[in-house]
Amino acid sequence: MTDTVAAEPGLGASFQGTTITPQHRDYDAARAIYNGSIDRRPALIVRPHGAADVADAVRYANEQGLRLSVRCGGHGIAGTSLAEDGMLLDLSPLKGVHVDRARGTAVAQGGALWG
């Protein structure tokens, strides 16, 4: 699957991520979660490329009155990561992990998986 859709105009000029609408050919694959029996259709799927994009997406959802759901790894068995007719904030592109050995800390972005 490729992210080739331009961002929603209302997300702002600084938004660097991608969006997928129901008309896009990759929409069904982009909204799929681990539990295949959940069949919800968000109005918009947003894939941020950084923390600023996440903030832009949350602001946009609030301004538009869209119910916001967040998907990290896609394994939410209950389907809570998909809001019908809302905005799916798909964090899967955010897989960065930073380990500071000197401090004994690690910071993982929202899309990072156990592996």
Side-chain angles (χ1 to χ4, degrees), residues 60-77:
Y60 179 77
N62 186 49
E63 289 173 354
Q64 298 299 312
L66 293 170
R67 183 172 171 218
L68 179 64
S69 59
V70 179
R71 175 174 61 199
C72 297
H75 293 89
I77 194 72

Side-chain angles (χ1 to χ4, degrees), residues 3-76:
D3 292 331
T4 58
V5 180
E8 287 288 306
L11 283 167
S14 65
F15 184 79
Q16 298 296 305
T18 56
T19 60
I20 298 174
T21 62
Q23 296 77 30
H24 191 268
R25 71 184 188 298
D26 291 334
Y27 175 77
D28 285 330
R31 70 183 179 88
I33 60 172
Y34 183 74
N35 183 351
S37 68
I38 305 294
D39 187 26
R40 296 192 187 121
R41 299 177 176 276
L44 179 64
I45 299 170
V46 176
R47 290 185 172 155
H49 286 201
D53 286 350
V54 172
D56 286 344
V58 170
R59 176 195 45 78
Y60 179 77
N62 186 49
E63 289 173 354
Q64 298 299 312
L66 293 170
R67 183 172 171 218
L68 179 64
S69 59
V70 179
R71 175 174 61 199
C72 297
H75 293 89

